[in-house]
Amino acid sequence: MFAPTFLIHSDALATVVSMKNSRAIVMGAVTFVGLIVLRQQCFASGDSSAAEDASASIDWMQEMQKGGATGVALILLAIAAVLFAVERIINMRKKNILGAAETAERAAQIDGKTDQPAVQKLYEDDPSSFTKVLHHMSEHSDYAADDILESAAETAGREIESHRRRIYSLGVVATLAPLLGLLGTMIGMIEAFAKFSKLTDSSEAALVLGDSIGKALITTAIGLIIAIPSLAAFHYFKVRLGSLSDQLEAALSQVHRTWFKKDNHQTPNTD
């Protein structure tokens, strides 16, 4: 197998991270739905016309501002998620890992064992993970073919792992966003019940509690809005990197067989 074994452990770690992200989002969604039901019950026990007027005059921007410090943290987290995704879109393009379409053909026409300047020029003309590993193979062409293959696998593995580590940033956002949203909701609920305990009129108390719960739900909603696309982007880039890794492995194996054909087919002398 061309890829180094530590990439298997990286895949396992990515799976664990994605499972934790999924649990956090599910927990946030369940809490969000439960609080919505509670809020509706509070409005149902009060004046229904007042509830309709309140729902008709919701200012969402104002509600988001009422999220307080937690809301600000969530907005910053959303900006970070967008920046992480844009960075991955730019730097994880196929050209940056596999090089241009004609690079593999040019590499196959070069004698990497003896024509190191040509390999160097190929790397300078089209810098990518593919040409970087080819340059490494050419520099160590005096080694045995199997040793070169193993060394190239380690170099390619480090290239892929550097991309994989940057994907985890989106996983961190997908984990933190619903948890921060839940934190904001819990803080809002504490404040809501503190207000509720000071009121004696049951109808007024129900409306106040329902309104306070509605404000507290904002942070959970924002957290889920951030976490869901972040988790989707995390899995998208993870799958894409796996596909590019397989293509890189195939391309490097083909060039290795071409450059070191005689070494690969050399048979020991039985005399």
Side-chain angles (χ1 to χ4, degrees):
M1 185 176 181
F2 188 81
T5 55
F6 70 81
L7 289 183
I8 298 175
H9 301 294
S10 299
D11 290 335
L13 178 60
T15 302
V16 172
V17 171
S18 63
M19 290 175 62
K20 291 182 178 179
N21 295 341
S22 301
R23 289 196 210 100
I25 291 177
V26 170
M27 181 174 62
V30 170
T31 304
F32 183 68
V33 172
L35 290 176
I36 287 179
V37 173
L38 178 60
R39 180 175 182 268
Q40 293 299 326
Q41 291 177 347
C42 290
F43 275 126
S45 62
D47 187 359
S48 59
S49 61
E52 291 175 359
D53 293 339
S55 62
S57 59
I58 292 177
D59 186 346
W60 289 105
M61 291 301 297
Q62 184 179 2
E63 293 295 323
M64 289 177 63
Q65 293 175 0
K66 292 178 181 178
T70 306
V72 173
L74 285 169
I75 296 301
L76 293 177
L77 204 60
I79 295 173
V82 172
L83 293 177
F84 290 147
V86 171
E87 186 274 334
R88 286 292 80 204
I89 291 173
I90 295 174
N91 292 324
M92 217 176 79
R93 290 176 296 177
K94 185 175 182 179
K95 182 179 184 299
N96 291 342
I97 296 178
L98 298 176
E102 67 276 5
T103 300
E105 297 179 1
R106 289 178 57 190
Q109 296 171 1
I110 297 173
D111 186 357
K113 293 183 64 176
T114 59
D115 196 357
Q116 294 184 3
V119 179
Q120 175 69 26
K121 187 177 186 306
L122 179 65
Y123 175 59
E124 293 174 352
D125 292 343
D126 185 17
S128 63
S129 299
F130 176 61
T131 54
K132 183 176 181 178
V133 178
L134 292 183
H135 183 256
H136 175 81
M137 291 168 58
S138 178
E139 287 184 331
H140 298 83
S141 58
D142 54 334
Y143 289 13
D146 291 341
D147 293 339
I148 295 174
L149 183 63
E150 182 179 353
S151 179
E154 293 176 356
T155 304
R158 286 193 294 269
E159 288 290 308
I160 295 299
E161 187 62 20
S162 66
H163 287 283
R164 195 188 307 276
R165 283 195 299 268
R166 295 186 180 95
I167 297 175
Y168 289 144
S169 301
L170 287 168
V172 171
V173 171
T175 302
L176 288 180
L179 296 179
L180 277 175
L182 286 175
L183 175 62
T185 297
M186 293 302 102
I187 294 174
M189 291 294 294
I190 292 172
E191 295 176 354
F193 282 109
K195 294 178 182 179
F196 177 79
S197 63
K198 297 178 181 179
L199 298 175
T200 56
D201 188 346
S202 60
S203 298
E204 182 182 0
L207 290 176
V208 170
L209 181 60
D211 182 64
S212 299
I213 292 174
K215 295 175 183 177
L217 285 170
I218 292 298
T219 55
T220 299
I222 297 174
L224 291 173
I225 290 171
I226 297 170
I228 292 172
S230 297
L231 184 61
F234 171 79
H235 283 289
Y236 166 77
F237 288 120
K238 177 186 170 184
V239 171
R240 177 170 174 77
L241 183 61
S243 174
L244 292 174
S245 177
D246 292 340
Q247 295 178 54
L248 178 62
E249 175 186 343
L252 290 173
S253 297
Q254 179 63 38
V255 174
H256 180 271
R257 285 194 295 268
T258 303
W259 285 4
F260 304 97
K261 185 183 301 182
K262 294 181 179 180
D263 293 346
N264 291 332
H265 292 84
Q266 186 176 9
T267 57
N269 190 359
T270 57
D271 293 338

